[in-house]
Amino acid sequence: MITRRNRFMLIGISLLLLSVLTLNNLISGDWSAISGGRETLVDFWQDDLWPPDWTLLEARSYPVCESSIGFFCSKVYIGMIETMKMAFVATVFGFIGSMLLSPLAAKNLVPAAISYPVRIFMAATRSLPSLIWAVIFIAIVGLGPLAGVLAMTFYTIGYLGKLQYEEMEGMRSEPLEASRAMGLSRSEITLLVVIPETSNGLLSQLLFMFEYNFRHGTVLGLVGAGGIGYYLSYYIGLFMYQQVMTFILVIFVVVVLLDLFSMFVRSFVNEEKDVKRPTWSSIFLSPNSSLEIHHKKEK
Amino acid sequence: MDHGETEFLLKLEQLSIGYEEPLISNISLTMYPGEIVSIIGASGIGKTTLLRTIAGLVAPLDGRVNLNVKKRGGLGYIPQKLGLVHHASVNHNVGLGARAGTSFREEPMTWIGRRNERVEIAIEQMGLTEKRNEPVRRLSGGQQKRVATARTLAQRPQILLADEFLSELDEDNIQIVVESVIDYVKESGAAMILVEHNTERAIQLSNRIFRLIEGELVQQFIQGGEEE
């Protein structure tokens, strides 16, 4: 007899096997591309990518830098800040849009006659990647950050909205039932019961979306929507990979910082905080080292 | 008990409840102001479904639920798991009851004041003043039950449905909760249906007790009458 554990293992192995067979089908059984791939990667790394061009962190020669810290006039900083601004504005606008729509898409909050049309609208905004939205908005408002912001806002409404209504659908039913029985209106239930109860998930998704938009902001530059992506596209076009590597490292650092920020913000609303709020040492160090520091502090 | 010309608050007429298949059939019950009815019976037999049907959360399979109470705030429901908003404060949760129980349309100028007053009184009555700004998730089980009670007291419903809300409470908490709720029911002329496991406590609190046996609601006890 197949035990529950073995059944899961069997399903896992079958899925893996199916994936390998599908990949084999996709590449028409020609696995030769992989052979020699490692050497190519090492060559590419040694000859083109490493070391990164750190001069991009210094002030540009033109226009003249008015700050005493040269980094604030560097291409990296200027590109990064512009992308950050685009991601910030798009996330806020997108969040407002999705927060207005997602309670109307959650099946446990509204009848199907309302939830399905709203879901279809959200799916429509989500089905076009932000890159395609950017192309559309460039045609409407021209090249630059505005097109990028609008593209990311539209995509955020569909993408974040889906995460939000699924979060709302997954909430415990008792608070909803108690407030419905009391006679509270739909808008009161949404504002005063659903949003506070799902706040941890909503906050997590919002911060994830900001990080997502920042990463995507780097791609939007490729089609002329401005930000760090503009520089990436410029250097990729000129095959200047050491400069590209610098930007990739900067993006990586910012994404890690955003993740730490998200962890910190969510610690105010999640359950773990009630037991023990994470310290900075617990984020950076292993559990044992962090515990040692904690004990030393207590002593 | 003779209720004379008194208007009923709740009348169940030939009610059948359940999900697809009936759990309990032919329930007939009329409740009047000031009455407390307890429902006892084994687990999984349909007690919670009965309360949820009366609260309008589940459609009856047959028969009717007649509620003679205000549509907004007239019915209070304390589910078994209390139905509190865990990430919100005690104040916020009790405020939900006060909001449901007061009407902006009736007295718009004093609405916020009346709401706040109800919250203050209910929180103080339940001994939660020091915890008022704490998120509910940080409170103990007993404190959470007091929050759910405070929410109901702030709402001041005409009919209150409570699903095993006294179980797992220590004696001190039971004393606080029971006294406040019973006082409220008696003073305001509300009615209450209590799902209770403890038969002794049910006898102590209720005017009438019904037991669920083989899909039927059977009256077993009337205060001042004989136990069947």
Side-chain angles (χ1 to χ4, degrees), chain B residues 88-120:
Chain B
S89 67
V90 170
N91 221 25
H92 180 98
N93 276 279
V94 179
L96 291 175
R99 181 178 275 269
T102 51
S103 167
F104 173 76
R105 281 181 201 159
E106 280 171 19
E107 288 174 73
M109 302 307 284
T110 58
W111 184 56
I112 294 174
R114 280 183 295 128
R115 244 174 48 198
N116 291 342
E117 190 189 8
R118 283 190 183 202
V119 173
E120 286 294 328

Side-chain angles (χ1 to χ4, degrees), chain B residues 2 37 46 70 75 122 206 209 216:
Chain B
D2 181 25
V37 163
K70 285 184 291 176
L75 185 139
S206 325
I209 295 179
E216 283 191 24

Side-chain angles (χ1 to χ4, degrees), chain A residues 91-127:
Chain A
T91 308
V92 171
F93 287 164
F95 179 71
I96 293 168
S98 63
M99 276 311 288
L100 290 172
L101 290 174
S102 54
L104 298 172
K107 282 191 283 187
N108 55 345
L109 300 181
V110 290
I114 299 174
S115 72
Y116 279 105
V118 177
R119 278 168 183 242
I120 289 168
F121 171 75
M122 283 185 171
T125 62
R126 198 169 61 238
S127 56

Side-chain angles (χ1 to χ4, degrees), chain A residues 172 174-175 177-178 180-185 188 191-193 196-200 268-271 273-274, chain B residues 52 55 57 71-75 77 79 81-88 92 96-97 99-100 137-138 151 155:
Chain A
R172 295 178 303 128
E174 293 88 9
E177 294 196 340
R180 272 181 196 143
M182 275 185 225
L184 291 176
S185 66
E188 284 173 321
L191 283 172
L192 303 169
V193 177
E197 188 63 10
T198 54
S199 55
N200 184 21
F268 288 96
V269 287
N270 60 18
E271 302 289 333
K273 187 225 172 194
D274 304 334
Chain B
R52 295 180 74 225
L57 302 166
K71 205 174 172 193
R72 184 184 165 95
L75 185 139
Y77 176 45
K81 290 179 184 167
L82 308 176
L84 297 170
V85 184
H86 281 165
H87 289 301
H92 180 98
L96 291 175
R99 181 178 275 269
R137 65 176 192 274
R138 284 198 204 149
R151 181 182 64 191
Q155 183 189 342

Side-chain angles (χ1 to χ4, degrees), chain A residues 68-235:
Chain A
S68 55
I69 302 166
F71 175 69
F72 292 142
C73 303
S74 66
K75 282 179 184 174
V76 163
Y77 181 79
I78 290 165
M80 188 184 70
I81 288 295
E82 193 168 73
T83 302
M84 196 83 95
K85 282 177 186 168
M86 277 164 53
F88 175 75
V89 175
T91 308
V92 171
F93 287 164
F95 179 71
I96 293 168
S98 63
M99 276 311 288
L100 290 172
L101 290 174
S102 54
L104 298 172
K107 282 191 283 187
N108 55 345
L109 300 181
V110 290
I114 299 174
S115 72
Y116 279 105
V118 177
R119 278 168 183 242
I120 289 168
F121 171 75
M122 283 185 171
T125 62
R126 198 169 61 238
S127 56
L128 288 185
S130 37
L131 202 62
I132 307 295
W133 278 117
V135 173
I136 293 170
F137 283 114
I138 284 169
I140 299 169
V141 298
L143 287 170
L146 182 61
V149 166
L150 289 170
M152 284 195 279
T153 301
F154 263 72
Y155 189 72
T156 301
I157 290 173
Y159 192 88
L160 188 58
K162 181 180 167 62
L163 295 175
Q164 285 171 342
Y165 71 67
E166 284 182 354
E167 181 77 32
M168 289 171 184
E169 283 174 350
M171 75 174 274
R172 295 178 303 128
S173 62
E174 293 88 9
L176 287 178
E177 294 196 340
S179 45
R180 272 181 196 143
M182 275 185 225
L184 291 176
S185 66
R186 269 187 222 284
S187 55
E188 284 173 321
I189 291 174
T190 304
L191 283 172
L192 303 169
V193 177
V194 177
I195 292 177
E197 188 63 10
T198 54
S199 55
N200 184 21
L202 296 182
L203 200 56
S204 161
Q205 290 152 3
L206 172 68
L207 293 164
F208 168 74
M209 203 65 218
F210 178 55
E211 181 206 300
Y212 180 93
N213 279 339
F214 175 77
R215 283 186 282 112
H216 259 242
T218 63
V219 179
L220 293 189
L222 299 176
V223 289
I228 217 167
Y230 164 77
Y231 294 105
L232 268 178
S233 127
Y234 175 76
Y235 287 117

Side-chain angles (χ1 to χ4, degrees), chain A residues 260 263 276-297:
Chain A
L260 291 175
M263 206 190 295
K276 186 173 167 287
R277 189 187 284 191
T279 57
W280 288 109
S281 64
S282 70
I283 294 170
F284 287 112
L285 302 174
S286 69
N288 285 342
S289 320
S290 162
L291 213 62
E292 270 176 33
I293 292 175
H294 180 70
H295 288 318
K296 273 181 192 168
K297 268 186 190 168

